[in-house]
Amino acid sequence: MMKKIISYSWLALVALFMYVPVLILAFYSFTDSTTIGAVRGFSLHNYVTLFTTEELRDMIVGTLLLALGASLIATVLGTVGAIGAFYSKPATRRIVETANQVPVVNADVVTAFSICILLIVVFGIEKNTFIPLVIGHVVLCAPFVYLAVMPRLKQMDNGLYEAALDLGATPFQALYKIVIPQIVPGIVSGFMLSVTLSLDDYFISTYTKPATFDTISTYVVNATRGAQTEIKTALWALSTVIFLVVILVVVIMNLASFGAAKKQEVSAYDNREKD
C-alpha cells in the first residue's frame, strides 16, 4: 500500500512540475496583468491583441505554413526511408538505422551550422530565400518520422504483402494497398511529431531563416529583449492557445486509437462467433 502511495505521489509531483507553470501562464493570459505575480482584473485583451495585431498574425501564419510544409516533406521522406530500410538486407538496415540516429541525438545548433555551411557557403544558396530554412526543418523532422513508422512496419503481418505479390499485384500496388494502410497510425504520429518539432525549433530557424521572417520561437526570444509590454503579454495568450490545441489533438488521437482498437476487438469477437 505504501509503495503505491509513494508511486502516485511521485507521479503527481512530476505532473505538477510540468503543468503548473503552463496553467499559471494561462491564468495570467486572461488578466490585465503586465507581470507574473501582480494579479489584476479578468480581461481578454491579450487574445484580442494576439489576433488583431498584423505582426503577430503574420508570424503565426508563417510558422504554421512552415511547420505543415516541412512536416509533409519530412513525413514522405521518413516513411519512404523506413519502408526501404525495412525491406533491405539486415546489414543495409543497420547502416540506415545508425545514420538515422545521428540527427536525433545531435545538437540542433550543430545541425544548424552544418546546414548553413553546406547550403549557403558550399552551394551558394542565398539566405534570404526559404530553401535553407525548409531543408533545415526537414532534416530535423524526417528522422523522427522514420522512428515512428519503423515499429509499425515490424508489427504488421508481412505475409499479406507477399500474398499480394503471389496473387499478381505489382510491388507498388502491394505497397499502396497492403503496407501503407497498416502503417498509417505511425505515419500520422510521425507527421504530428514533426509539426511539434518544427513549431518548437529555435536554433535551426535562427541560423537559416531570412532576416525578415520570424517563427514563433525566434519571435518569442526576440520579444523578451525589448518588445512592447502589450506584445509580451499577448505571447502569454499564444502559449495558452498552443497548449490547448496540443491537448485537443492528443485527446482526439487517443479517442481515435481507442475506437479503432475497440472496433478491432469487436471484429475479432464476431469472427470467433462465426467459427
Side-chain angles (χ1 to χ4, degrees):
M1 183 65 181
M2 183 58 67
K3 188 176 181 180
K4 285 186 176 180
I5 293 175
I6 294 175
S7 299
Y8 289 135
S9 299
W10 178 253
L11 181 62
L13 183 63
V14 172
L16 287 173
F17 181 78
M18 290 191 300
Y19 293 111
V20 166
V22 181
L23 296 176
I24 292 175
L25 191 64
F27 170 77
Y28 277 96
S29 71
F30 289 100
T31 68
D32 281 329
S33 302
T34 57
T35 57
I36 301 296
V39 180
R40 296 183 181 178
F42 174 83
S43 174
L44 294 176
H45 174 71
N46 292 328
Y47 292 87
V48 173
T49 303
L50 176 64
F51 293 109
T52 57
T53 304
E54 185 177 0
E55 180 184 359
L56 292 174
R57 196 168 58 241
D58 292 344
M59 177 266 296
I60 295 171
V61 172
T63 303
L64 290 176
L65 291 176
L66 171 65
L68 292 174
S71 298
L72 182 61
I73 298 172
T75 300
V76 173
L77 294 178
T79 302
V80 171
I83 294 173
F86 180 76
Y87 287 104
S88 298
K89 296 179 180 179
T92 304
R93 184 192 303 180
R94 284 194 295 271
I95 293 174
V96 174
E97 289 180 347
T98 302
N100 185 78
Q101 291 173 2
V102 174
V104 173
V105 300
N106 196 22
D108 285 357
V109 66
V110 177
T111 302
F113 277 129
S114 301
I115 292 172
C116 285
I117 293 173
L118 178 64
L119 299 180
I120 299 174
V121 178
V122 178
F123 290 104
I125 298 176
E126 294 291 335
K127 191 181 177 181
N128 57 4
T129 68
F130 286 92
I131 294 176
L133 179 61
V134 173
I135 291 178
H137 279 242
V138 171
V139 171
L140 172 70
C141 300
F144 291 92
V145 177
Y146 179 99
L147 293 176
V149 173
M150 183 58 76
R152 290 287 178 175
L153 287 166
K154 294 178 179 179
Q155 292 171 6
M156 73 177 188
D157 184 1
N158 197 43
L160 294 176
Y161 176 79
E162 296 175 355
L165 295 179
D166 291 339
L167 292 173
T170 64
F172 179 78
Q173 289 174 330
L175 175 67
Y176 179 73
K177 295 183 178 180
I178 302 299
V179 177
I180 297 296
Q182 294 187 78
I183 64 173
V184 164
I187 296 175
V188 173
S189 298
F191 176 78
M192 296 305 300
L193 181 59
S194 296
V195 171
T196 303
L197 290 169
S198 179
L199 290 174
D200 183 62
D201 176 72
Y202 172 74
F203 287 106
I204 293 177
S205 299
T206 297
Y207 290 108
T208 59
K209 73 179 183 67
T212 56
F213 179 79
D214 264 315
T215 63
I216 291 176
S217 58
T218 60
Y219 187 92
V220 169
V221 172
N222 293 332
T224 61
R225 300 174 181 171
Q228 302 174 5
T229 301
E230 188 178 59
I231 297 297
K232 291 181 180 179
T233 55
L235 295 176
W236 299 352
L238 176 60
S239 301
T240 303
V241 170
I242 293 174
F243 181 67
L244 293 176
V245 169
V246 169
I247 290 178
L248 182 62
V249 170
V250 170
V251 170
I252 291 174
M253 290 181 65
N254 279 280
L255 289 176
S257 299
F258 178 77
K262 203 71 176 177
K263 185 177 180 181
Q264 193 173 18
E265 289 179 5
V266 172
S267 177
Y269 177 78
D270 291 340
N271 291 334
R272 287 197 300 268
E273 287 293 318
K274 290 178 182 179
D275 295 338

